Amino acid sequence: KFLSLYDALELQWPTFVTLPPIMGPDGKKKLSKRDGAKDLLDYRNDGYLSEAMANFLALIGWNPGTDQEIFTIEELIANFSIKKIQRSGGAFNEEKLRWVNKKHLEQLSNREREQYFEKNLTIPDHVQQQPQFSKERLKRLYVVIFERIQVAKDASYFQLWEGEYNWAFGAIDYNTELLKWKNDTTIEDVLPRLKELRNLLNDADFSNVENVKDCIWRYAEKVGKGEVLWPLRVALTGRERSPDPFTCAYVLGKEETLSRIEAACAKIKQ
């Protein structure tokens, strides 16, 4: 059929080279929808980078002859050789594709990572309308989420807007008793620790999670990790379960972190 088109257009035949077929995960038969094959655009909608997809597909049926697995488009062009095309088909391994995508994501600049999330994640209107919503806090949240995903669709696992991170932009509400650690006799036992955390964090560098952690870790080891970190988690998120309190503080930023600790202190005094 291809040659007939060239003849009809009175064009000279090119030399055709056929790559081996893409096999299913078991490597025994050609990949099909029964094996979970998706439309290429579905992968794009899931947040796979075009460079990562090209990199992954290039290595199915072609071997560069080295241990290198991550290639830019320019590197693929420079290293490609027809002689290195394999005869047998290669298996489509989506876990490998996810890994390749993560490697390409890691090569993005900070601004490109922000653009990646802006392109692939939709922020619901009701979230943007929250009084505490800010683009700066959203950028900090992206930094945290980036470390936990291989492709943008993974972010939905964390239920950014309604689940694990809903404390980031919305008001929090919790029973004061939740601030107590298991060794506390009364809720008043928590107050001195929260005040000390407020003092320590007032001088903290909030530019990254590690700086926040370094600021209070020595105090937590001295007094008790549970005694310090549990009430801080609750004060910042209003929840028993959340990312670690250092991450929560980083996402919220210094001003909001201090404000929520002060609010927790006020609840205890009521």
Side-chain angles (χ1 to χ4, degrees):
K1 293 180 181 178
F2 285 111
L3 295 178
S4 295
L5 287 172
Y6 279 91
D7 288 341
L9 296 170
E10 298 182 351
L11 297 175
Q12 183 179 353
W13 291 358
T15 300
F16 288 96
V17 178
T18 303
L19 288 170
I22 298 177
M23 312 300 286
D26 60 5
K28 296 180 180 179
K29 60 180 181 178
K30 292 182 179 180
L31 183 68
S32 67
K33 289 185 177 180
R34 292 182 180 179
D35 300 311
K38 301 184 292 187
D39 187 284
L40 191 61
L41 295 181
D42 290 335
Y43 287 101
R44 185 179 69 179
N45 293 336
D46 286 343
Y48 286 94
L49 298 171
S50 58
E51 297 85 354
M53 180 61 75
N55 185 167
F56 173 74
L57 292 177
L59 295 176
I60 299 181
W62 173 74
N63 190 320
T66 67
D67 293 332
Q68 184 177 350
E69 294 185 279
I70 304 302
F71 292 85
T72 64
I73 298 297
E74 292 74 19
E75 289 174 328
L76 287 173
I77 294 172
N79 285 275
F80 181 77
S81 169
I82 290 177
K83 295 180 180 179
K84 294 179 181 178
I85 295 176
Q86 299 172 343
R87 293 183 179 274
S88 59
F92 187 96
N93 184 331
E94 188 153 355
E95 282 304 309
K96 184 61 174 291
L97 172 59
R98 287 169 56 82
W99 178 81
V100 171
N101 195 70
K102 178 65 173 181
K103 291 299 181 181
H104 278 271
L105 285 175
E106 289 173 349
Q107 294 179 0
L108 299 179
S109 66
N110 289 336
R111 179 54 188 150
E112 288 172 331
R113 293 180 184 185
E114 291 176 14
Q115 292 172 336
Y116 173 75
F117 279 113
E118 290 168 359
K119 177 182 178 181
N120 291 285
L121 290 182
T122 301
I123 308 171
D125 290 339
H126 74 274
V127 173
Q128 297 187 59
Q129 293 168 3
Q130 295 271 15
Q132 296 187 19
F133 179 82
S134 71
K135 290 186 177 180
E136 182 60 33
R137 196 175 299 175
L138 183 62
K139 289 179 181 179
R140 287 173 175 259
L141 184 58
Y142 286 159
V143 172
V144 173
I145 292 296
F146 183 84
E147 299 301 324
R148 307 179 67 179
I149 68 166
Q150 291 179 302
V151 64
K153 72 171 183 177
D154 293 347
S156 62
Y157 171 79
F158 303 112
Q159 299 179 323
L160 291 186
W161 320 122
E162 304 297 342
E164 187 174 349
Y165 288 89
N166 65 351
W167 48 267
F169 304 112
I172 61 172
D173 185 31
Y174 55 92
N175 189 304
T176 310
E177 290 294 311
L178 189 59
L179 289 164
K180 288 171 57 177
W181 180 238
K182 58 185 178 182
N183 297 326
D184 292 325
T185 303
T186 67
I187 189 62
E188 285 75 18
D189 294 339
V190 182
L191 192 58
R193 302 198 297 271
L194 284 176
K195 287 183 176 179
E196 180 60 20
L197 282 169
R198 198 262 179 229
N199 293 334
L200 291 171
L201 289 170
N202 187 54
D203 299 324
D205 174 4
F206 275 67
S207 61
N208 58 59
V209 176
E210 285 304 313
N211 285 345
V212 175
K213 181 177 180 179
D214 289 343
C215 177
I216 60 178
W217 188 248
R218 184 176 298 177
Y219 176 62
E221 288 185 317
K222 177 182 177 181
V223 177
K225 296 176 184 177
E227 283 79 359
V228 172
L229 302 183
W230 176 264
L232 178 59
R233 177 199 302 276
V234 175
L236 298 183
T237 69
R239 302 173 62 159
E240 295 183 49
R241 296 180 181 179
S242 71
D244 65 73
F246 320 113
T247 296
C248 297
Y250 166 75
V251 171
L252 292 170
K254 178 182 287 190
E255 182 178 348
E256 182 62 20
T257 293
L258 297 179
S259 175
R260 293 193 182 192
I261 293 175
E262 289 170 355
C265 292
K267 287 173 71 74
I268 293 175
K269 294 176 182 179
Q270 288 178 354

